[in-house]
Amino acid sequence: MRLKLQDLPVKLLSRLQSLEKLDLSGNMLQEFPKNLELPALRFLDLSDNQIEDVTTLDSLSNVEELRMDDNLYITVSDTYKLMVLLPNLRIYNGKDVSTSANHLRYVYSDNLRTRIAALWENSFCLPNPITAEKMDALESKFVSTACLQVKFGPNSVSDFTRWRVGILAKEYLLSLTGPKKEVDSAETTGTQNNSDVSKPAKRKQTESVIDTSIRLRPLKKPRTDPATSAAEDSPRQLRFRLKPQLDTIKNVPSKTSQAPITPSRGERRSDTRKRSSKEQQTNGDDAQKKQKESSGKKNSRRDADMLQTVEIRSDTQPVRLNPLHVLQCHSKQDSLEDFSTQLWACAFQPLPDSAGNAGGSRLVATCGGDSICLIDCEMGMVMKKYKVPGEEFYSLAWSTVLMSRGGNASAQHCSILAAGGKRGIVKLIHPRNNVAYGEFRASRKALSVLRFNHQQGNFLFTGSYDNKILMWDIGGVDSQYNFKVVQLLVLEIGTTPLHICLPPTAPSAHLLTACEDGLHCYNTQLGANNTTKRSKEMEITFPIYKKEDKDHDYHTVDGLGFLNDDIVASKNYLYGCIYLWSWSRTKVQRPDKKSKAVCAVVLAELQWANTEIPYLALNTCPGQAYMVCGDDKGKIWTYHIPNLQKNSFHTGKPILPTEVLEWPTPVKNGHGKVEGPSINSVAMDPELRYLVALSDKNMVIVWKREESP
């Protein structure tokens, strides 16, 4: 259409608030209209124009794919500017550039910040007194000097470096004079339709002998490496369904008279990982700790008194779940007699829409032994199976990334699955095309947990038995499944991380990890001159810690999940209740300078099972205001929590479960009834149409929601 800048009126085009794709190729544009905000725009094609200035694109913060082919005056520096100006840009001219873009946004920019700070320290200082006129003159001199003296990177991108230095120098000067803003301060309470996948910690798999007379904080049954199997993956042959005896199934309501539980523990196990620093505390340290936690409890009580009702999802209703299928699909060498392989993690596949937002599906991924299964919950059928002889998978996670298709075709969102286990290697799988397209080593030791950033799907966190959590950028993929992995952060953990949770409203700012020695919070904000190796920002403590003695250690947090944008559910080993606490009101407290501890602002307790079996993971369904957790008898405790009443925690009475789903007691031919096993992991789809539970006896149990008449 031979369009020029004057043919694109900003006032008119700004009304296109839902526009997702804009094709302006083949025109005569020298620049894009300045300050044109299109919040839903994901794809922009400016190829075959006369673009000279790319900085006017900075208002298009949500663009993920951009085409600038055949613009004669676009240089490499312009391309780098675009990667910084567009924070969500992943595909540029048909190629995945997410890894390069993140390097420029964080690593390259951090190097420039370091040089800018050194220049200031050596040659500049603030005027005294500070006036607007003096600051304007100082800014002009400092920025021009920085652009002239700060050198970094190749000469071919010197124009980009000067441009970036100018911006960063102004930001640095502002940070010396302006108020500091706390990251993540704008978090609000709401609902997140994101089914949080809990991942169980692994029992020390290298042990071959366990003294069965010792039952303290036990690791689950020892496991041997699965035998090598060269069998072809055949979903229907490898699936084996146990038919439940429907007349023996009872969904027993939880309103049974069960007293609040304070479990005890017997003698210590010699190989249990302990918090040595906490065991070596002096009596004086203990006294200070108790005094601090007592003060924290008073603050918590005062906050609760101000709370009338916390609404989670008041528009939801309790559901009734019925057992639908029991499958035995992770057997060693495909043996129908295998009732010993432990299953560890499960998660429902997200279904991305055109904007990359994930909905629910009936396809669930499960892992255990040397295999990963994709199960259709409605049909009870293993649709696909992926095996790695000699591996033992402990964790998996879904994400949505962009796949570039080359040519003039726009990139498309695709769901990928990452899985890892005892070999420390992350496997990347594209289930739709039945392709295991890559792998990379995340640790020299076993991986205990995987977690993707749900807002930036190419960021993956891996927790491992070397007491570290690493953050990776796995990028996207192209049509040939080429990809690149870059390590971004190292979080130093004191013990093995068991679960990882990211705040729903700000997943790039903080990370919560449940560990053997407590619940810790880390700053994961990239850039801003932060180091790539970090220690904990704070430890979140709980009231039950005050009851610890030499035989009772409640610090192991073996369940963690967000019930909505603010409320967190967490479970402490050996304590028969589950805490519900406020993330926003907990994180604003000032941590203790020495221990970095803050007391959780507890809102309520949920009554749970009395068991000494650890690492039974909980799971949440924010969209339906549900939380569920299995126990060591094959039961599943369900809680519908549409809102919390004032002072529910301080009444001293835990909230009873909405319903306790009994073990369906399936029957195996020739073996009789299969008794209730421990439920290692549970998962729900976002609409809670299905609930899936994994046992330590090689069984996947599928429950289905009963439709209202």
Side-chain angles (χ1 to χ4, degrees):
M1 298 174 65
R2 305 181 65 81
L3 294 175
K4 297 183 179 181
L5 180 63
Q6 58 266 30
D7 299 318
L8 301 177
V10 173
K11 186 175 180 180
L12 177 63
L13 294 177
S14 294
R15 299 174 64 182
L16 300 173
Q17 296 293 294
S18 299
L19 182 65
E20 295 183 2
K21 186 173 181 178
L22 177 59
D23 185 353
L24 290 171
S25 61
N27 285 287
M28 302 176 65
L29 298 174
Q30 292 182 322
E31 63 179 75
F32 191 77
K34 192 173 183 179
N35 297 325
L36 174 55
E37 296 185 3
L38 300 172
L41 191 68
R42 298 294 188 275
F43 175 92
L44 175 63
D45 191 345
L46 291 174
S47 57
D48 192 17
N49 274 278
Q50 300 170 18
I51 301 293
E52 298 180 14
D53 182 9
V54 299
T55 58
T56 56
L57 290 164
D58 62 345
S59 59
L60 305 177
S61 59
N62 291 319
V63 166
E64 295 179 342
E65 181 172 1
L66 174 66
R67 287 191 170 276
M68 297 284 286
D69 314 76
D70 300 322
N71 279 278
L72 183 62
Y73 305 110
I74 295 297
T75 65
V76 175
S77 289
D78 291 322
T79 299
Y80 282 13
K81 290 177 184 179
L82 289 168
M83 293 181 186
V84 173
L85 290 170
L86 305 177
N88 290 315
L89 183 66
R90 303 183 192 177
I91 306 295
Y92 181 74
N93 290 343
K95 296 181 180 180
D96 177 26
V97 296
S98 54
T99 300
S100 302
N102 285 324
H103 178 82
L104 290 172
R105 294 164 190 157
Y106 307 120
V107 180
Y108 196 93
S109 296
D110 276 350
N111 276 293
L112 295 180
R113 288 189 184 95
T114 301
R115 287 164 169 77
I116 290 169
L119 174 65
W120 173 269
E121 294 294 335
N122 293 332
S123 307
F124 291 88
C125 63
L126 291 173
N128 188 15
I130 296 177
T131 63
E133 184 177 339
K134 290 181 178 179
M135 287 303 299
D136 287 343
L138 176 63
E139 178 182 296
S140 176
K141 184 177 181 181
F142 177 57
V143 171
S144 61
T145 303
C147 291
L148 184 64
Q149 295 187 14
V150 173
K151 305 291 184 182
F152 187 68
N155 291 332
S156 59
V157 293
S158 58
D159 178 60
F160 164 75
T161 302
R162 284 193 298 271
W163 171 81
R164 189 69 175 134
V165 167
I167 295 174
L168 296 177
K170 292 179 182 178
E171 291 178 356
Y172 181 80
L173 189 57
L174 181 62
S175 70
L176 299 178
T177 58
K180 294 183 179 180
K181 297 181 180 180
E182 181 180 347
V183 176
D184 200 22
S185 61
E187 284 189 24
T188 56
T189 301
T191 309
Q192 173 73 15
N193 286 328
N194 180 347
S195 182
D196 182 49
V197 182
S198 297
K199 297 146 189 97
K202 307 306 157 294
R203 293 49 173 177
K204 191 172 181 180
Q205 68 272 16
T206 56
E207 295 177 352
S208 58
V209 178
I210 289 183
D211 186 348
T212 56
S213 66
I214 299 176
R215 283 292 300 272
L216 314 159
R217 197 169 174 187
L219 295 177
K220 288 208 180 164
K221 302 181 186 73
R223 300 167 298 192
T224 56
D225 291 344
T228 301
S229 173
E232 293 293 327
D233 294 342
S234 175
R236 289 164 180 78
Q237 292 177 357
L238 296 178
R239 180 180 63 87
F240 180 83
R241 183 187 304 175
L242 302 178
K243 296 182 179 179
Q245 257 191 339
L246 295 180
D247 58 347
T248 65
I249 297 171
K250 297 179 181 179
N251 292 334
V252 181
S254 62
K255 297 182 179 179
T256 54
S257 56
Q258 184 172 350
I261 306 164
T262 307
S264 60
R265 177 175 68 185
E267 151 183 54
R268 292 184 183 275
R269 218 184 37 163
S270 59
D271 64 342
T272 301
R273 294 193 184 107
K274 298 304 293 178
R275 301 165 292 107
S276 58
S277 61
K278 292 187 179 292
E279 289 179 340
Q280 295 168 2
Q281 284 181 331
T282 63
N283 291 335
D285 290 337
D286 289 336
Q288 290 178 1
K289 179 181 174 183
K290 290 181 179 179
Q291 182 179 1
K292 173 181 65 64
E293 290 180 349
S294 175
S295 173
K297 185 65 174 286
K298 289 178 182 178
N299 292 335
S300 177
R301 181 176 291 109
R302 182 166 60 251
D303 289 338
D305 289 340
M306 298 168 60
L307 185 69
Q308 297 299 321
T309 299
V310 178
E311 183 175 310
I312 300 175
R313 278 299 294 264
S314 58
D315 58 339
T316 61
Q317 298 296 326
V319 302
R320 186 171 183 84
L321 296 161
N322 298 315
L324 184 62
H325 303 292
V326 181
L327 295 89
Q328 182 189 15
C329 51
H330 289 269
S331 302
K332 299 172 185 176
Q333 296 182 324
D334 303 330
S335 170
L336 298 181
E337 306 301 319
D338 180 4
F339 286 89
S340 61
T341 296
Q342 298 198 57
L343 311 184
W344 298 114
C346 54
F348 277 87
Q349 178 188 21
L351 294 179
D353 58 20
S354 59
N357 301 315
S361 77
R362 67 186 199 183
L363 193 68
V364 67
T366 62
C367 73
D370 64 354
S371 60
I372 300 165
C373 293
L374 272 67
I375 301 170
D376 186 306
C377 290
E378 182 64 30
M379 296 189 296
M381 181 176 293
V382 179
M383 306 305 294
K384 296 177 182 179
K385 189 169 184 177
Y386 178 67
K387 299 187 74 171
V388 180
E391 178 64 280
E392 189 163 4
F393 287 106
Y394 294 154
S395 186
L396 52 76
W398 288 96
S399 187
T400 301
V401 299
L402 281 177
M403 172 179 279
S404 58
R405 296 184 290 173
N408 294 322
S410 61
Q412 65 180 12
H413 291 93
C414 63
S415 292
I416 65 165
L417 184 66
K422 75 173 186 179
R423 296 168 63 186
I425 295 174
V426 175
K427 298 285 185 179
L428 299 174
I429 305 169
H430 185 201
R432 180 176 179 179
N433 288 356
N434 208 23
V435 174
Y437 67 87
E439 65 179 43
F440 66 93
R441 177 167 292 282
S443 174
R444 293 292 177 184
K445 294 192 175 181
L447 299 177
S448 58
V449 58
L450 305 181
R451 180 76 174 181
F452 278 102
N453 182 327
H454 54 267
Q455 285 187 1
Q456 196 152 359
N458 52 307
F459 285 174
L460 171 66
F461 293 94
T462 61
S464 53
Y465 278 87
D466 57 0
N467 303 339
K468 292 179 182 178
I469 293 177
L470 304 183
M471 179 179 175
W472 307 87
D473 179 3
I474 66 167
V477 294
D478 61 21
S479 57
Q480 303 300 315
Y481 289 100
N482 296 309
F483 72 102
K484 185 178 180 181
V485 177
V486 176
Q487 181 180 305
L488 300 176
L489 286 180
V490 178
L491 308 182
E492 300 286 354
I493 316 290
T495 55
T496 303
L498 311 180
H499 300 280
I500 294 173
C501 271
L502 306 176
T505 56
S508 298
H510 291 95
L511 174 146
L512 295 175
T513 178
C515 303
E516 294 273 4
D517 65 345
L519 180 59
H520 306 290
C521 174
Y522 288 80
N523 175 10
T524 56
Q525 186 82 22
L526 295 173
N529 209 25
N530 288 323
T531 61
T532 57
K533 183 176 289 188
R534 303 179 188 178
S535 57
K536 68 181 178 184
E537 191 173 59
M538 70 176 89
E539 177 185 356
I540 298 168
T541 63
F542 297 94
I544 190 61
Y545 290 1
K546 294 191 293 184
K547 297 183 180 180
E548 289 185 340
D549 55 36
K550 65 178 182 179
D551 294 324
H552 300 80
D553 181 358
Y554 299 107
H555 266 70
T556 296
V557 179
D558 58 1
L560 185 67
F562 273 85
L563 190 57
N564 69 358
D565 285 354
D566 181 57
I567 296 176
V568 185
S570 63
K571 182 167 72 72
N572 296 72
Y573 168 64
L574 282 182
Y575 185 47
C577 290
I578 297 170
Y579 284 117
L580 296 182
W581 51 278
S582 170
W583 159 242
S584 62
R585 294 161 65 193
T586 299
K587 74 181 178 65
V588 297
Q589 300 178 77
R590 187 183 299 275
D592 179 84
K593 290 184 178 180
K594 183 177 180 181
S595 65
K596 298 185 178 180
V598 298
C599 190
V601 179
V602 178
L603 306 177
E605 287 184 340
L606 308 178
Q607 182 173 304
W608 187 60
N610 183 3
T611 178
E612 292 185 351
I613 302 296
Y615 316 128
L616 305 178
L618 61 81
N619 192 241
T620 60
C621 181
Q624 299 298 317
Y626 254 84
M627 200 227 41
V628 300
C629 187
D631 65 14
D632 60 337
K633 301 292 192 298
K635 299 178 181 179
I636 300 176
W637 300 58
T638 70
Y639 307 83
H640 178 236
I641 314 167
N643 53 61
L644 294 172
Q645 298 300 319
K646 175 184 176 183
N647 290 337
S648 59
F649 171 58
H650 301 289
T651 62
K653 297 180 180 179
I655 298 173
L656 297 176
T658 304
E659 185 177 19
V660 178
L661 304 176
E662 294 287 338
W663 174 245
T665 319
V667 175
K668 174 69 172 68
N669 292 337
H671 293 268
K673 296 180 180 179
V674 179
E675 297 301 324
S678 293
I679 302 298
N680 287 343
S681 183
V682 287
M684 297 169 280
D685 69 287
E687 288 79 34
L688 221 177
R689 294 173 298 168
Y690 304 98
L691 184 152
V692 174
L694 305 186
S695 78
D696 63 353
K697 291 185 179 179
N698 190 27
M699 283 180 282
V700 179
I701 306 95
V702 179
W703 302 72
K704 184 178 180 181
R705 178 175 181 167
E706 185 177 290
E707 298 297 335
S708 302

